[in-house]
């Protein structure tokens, strides 16, 4: 798979799953029959094709045979992709402080070239200061974490932010409710420092931030926070990420992605421009200092 660039295992699983789905459909094989061929079930095939679970080389080999893929070079290419997709990403080192359903997002975030996000509760994670992230970690609904766990969560958050400094850097476009910037997570000093960090962040050419005023009369994204991830690989579709209290949804159907893309476009076009963000942050910082 030369020329693929740096791709995380989550993205690799999605790429391989997409290839297998196309091969199965082209061969006219049902998910039920495919599941039978690997001594499994229809639901297992569905999870494999969505890239939600790891791949066994034997299963991939059996599926390729079932789908009529006998050419040695193509089989070797896909089996090598299966091996690479099973390698754990760096974020697995933090598995003790992250839920299983969040691992997939970390892998996608590490691979994405563009993330557009809408936030209603917190400053986007990729823009949080360590102090702000620490305060957010203490708000976990599953019980108060230990200080050691909190520091692990902060270390993970800091490590994730390297995507903004890599080459080429991730492009982040965030639209957030102004109420987020009034909420004193961690106290006034933590919030003031966070606002200052946002002022610095928006000087980066790869970071765009828009703020929806408190006086806004409403907008299209009424269902809550979400993110849209885009990848440089043609094999990967755009993904919509929706996080809930105890789980998350990953949407890649074209109609879903288009609906959320249109919502983000409406938010961006109806909100004050990014050029006004620095002035608004300056105003909020001055308000905290008074």
């Amino acid at each position: 798979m030369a020329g693929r660039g740096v791709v995380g295992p989550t993205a690799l699983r999605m790429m391989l799953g997409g290839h297998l789905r196309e091969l199965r459909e082209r061969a006219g094989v049902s998910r039920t029959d495919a599941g039978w061929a690997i001594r499994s079930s229809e639901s297992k095939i569905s999870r494999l094709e969505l890239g939600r679970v790891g791949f066994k080389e034997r299963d991939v080999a059996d599926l390729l045979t079932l789908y009529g893929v006998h050419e040695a070079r193509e089989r070797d290419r896909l089996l090598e992709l299966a091996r690479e997709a099973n390698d754990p990403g760096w974020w697995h080192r933090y598995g003790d402080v992250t839920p299983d359903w969040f691992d997939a997002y970390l892998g996608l975030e590490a691979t994405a070239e563009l993330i557009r996000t809408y936030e209603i509760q917190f400053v986007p994670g990729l823009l949080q200061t360590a102090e702000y992230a620490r305060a957010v970690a203490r708000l976990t609904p599953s019980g108060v974490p230990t200080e050691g766990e909190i520091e692990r969560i902060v270390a993970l958050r800091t490590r994730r932010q390297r995507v903004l400094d890599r080459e080429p850097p991730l492009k982040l476009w965030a639209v957030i409710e102004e109420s987020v910037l009034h909420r004193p997570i961690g106290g006034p000093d933590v919030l003031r420092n966070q606002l200052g960090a946002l002022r610095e962040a928006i000087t980066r050419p790869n970071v765009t931030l828009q703020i929806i005023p408190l006086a806004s009369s409403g907008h299209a994204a009424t269902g809550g926070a979400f993110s849209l991830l885009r990848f440089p690989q043609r094999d990967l579709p755009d993904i919509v990420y929706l996080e809930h209290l105890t789980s998350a949804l990953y949407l890649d159907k074209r109609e879903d992605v288009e609906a959320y893309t249109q919502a983000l476009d409406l938010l961006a076009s109806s909100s004050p421009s990014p050029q006004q963000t620095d002035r608004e942050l300056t105003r909020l910082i001055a308000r905290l200092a008074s």
Side-chain angles (χ1 to χ4, degrees):
M1 301 294 288
R4 186 172 58 229
V6 179
V7 185
T10 302
L12 291 175
R13 288 198 299 270
M14 292 177 61
M15 290 170 66
L16 179 55
H19 281 305
L20 291 175
R21 181 178 64 247
E22 290 175 6
L23 290 170
R24 178 181 60 77
E25 292 174 347
R26 194 180 307 158
V29 177
S30 69
R31 286 196 180 96
T32 300
D33 289 342
W36 178 264
I38 62 169
R39 302 150 297 279
S40 189
S41 64
E42 176 183 356
S43 62
K44 175 67 176 292
I45 295 297
S46 179
R47 292 195 298 273
L48 287 172
E49 292 180 351
L50 291 171
R52 303 285 169 79
V53 294
F55 292 89
K56 295 179 180 178
E57 281 189 60
R58 185 181 71 170
D59 289 346
V60 174
D62 289 346
L63 289 173
L64 293 177
T65 299
L66 178 66
Y67 301 156
V69 180
H70 302 294
E71 200 273 320
R73 181 177 298 179
E74 178 67 1
R75 288 179 68 91
D76 289 345
R77 182 178 75 92
L78 293 174
L79 288 170
E80 176 61 22
L81 184 56
R83 285 189 287 271
E84 292 180 22
N86 287 329
D87 290 338
W90 62 262
W91 51 90
H92 284 269
R93 299 196 301 268
Y94 298 92
D96 57 318
V97 292
T98 57
D100 292 341
W101 48 264
F102 192 53
D103 281 354
Y105 179 80
L106 294 173
L108 295 172
E109 180 183 78
T111 303
E113 67 174 358
L114 168 67
I115 295 179
R116 298 178 67 188
T117 186
Y118 166 60
E119 291 287 348
I120 63 173
Q121 181 75 5
F122 302 116
V123 168
L126 292 178
L127 300 178
Q128 290 181 8
T129 65
E131 293 80 8
Y132 188 96
R134 192 170 288 114
V136 170
R138 292 194 172 97
L139 299 176
T140 177
S142 57
V144 180
T146 67
E147 287 303 311
E149 289 171 336
I150 289 173
E151 293 310 309
R152 294 271 293 158
I153 293 170
V154 173
L156 169 61
R157 185 65 49 88
T158 301
R159 175 64 179 81
R160 287 170 56 195
Q161 293 173 353
R162 294 185 190 178
V163 295
L164 297 174
D165 297 312
R166 73 187 184 199
E167 188 56 43
L170 170 76
K171 296 177 182 178
L172 176 65
W173 186 346
V175 181
I176 65 176
E177 298 284 351
E178 183 185 335
S179 56
V180 171
L181 307 179
H182 288 268
R183 192 169 291 115
I185 303 292
D189 290 341
V190 171
L191 178 59
R192 182 166 56 250
N193 291 336
Q194 176 63 75
L195 295 177
L198 290 176
R199 285 192 68 198
E200 293 182 13
I202 61 176
T203 64
R204 295 170 176 256
N206 58 312
V207 175
T208 300
L209 178 63
Q210 290 179 267
I211 301 170
I212 301 174
L214 287 174
S216 171
S217 59
H219 47 73
T222 57
F226 64 92
S227 296
L228 176 67
L229 297 90
R230 180 163 295 165
F231 308 92
Q233 295 78 22
R234 289 178 301 174
D235 309 71
L236 291 177
D238 290 356
I239 299 290
V240 175
Y241 174 72
L242 300 165
E243 186 172 311
H244 303 304
L245 191 62
T246 58
S247 64
L249 290 176
Y250 298 84
L251 309 177
D252 65 353
K253 290 183 178 180
R254 179 171 298 183
E255 57 267 30
D256 291 330
V257 172
E258 288 180 351
Y260 280 93
T261 300
Q262 289 174 6
L264 279 169
D265 289 343
L266 284 172
L267 282 173
S269 62
S270 61
S271 300
S273 72
Q275 289 71 32
Q276 296 176 256
T277 298
D278 181 76
R279 182 170 56 202
E280 181 62 16
L281 290 171
T282 301
R283 181 185 71 82
L284 292 171
I285 291 171
R287 173 180 168 274
L288 280 171
S290 61

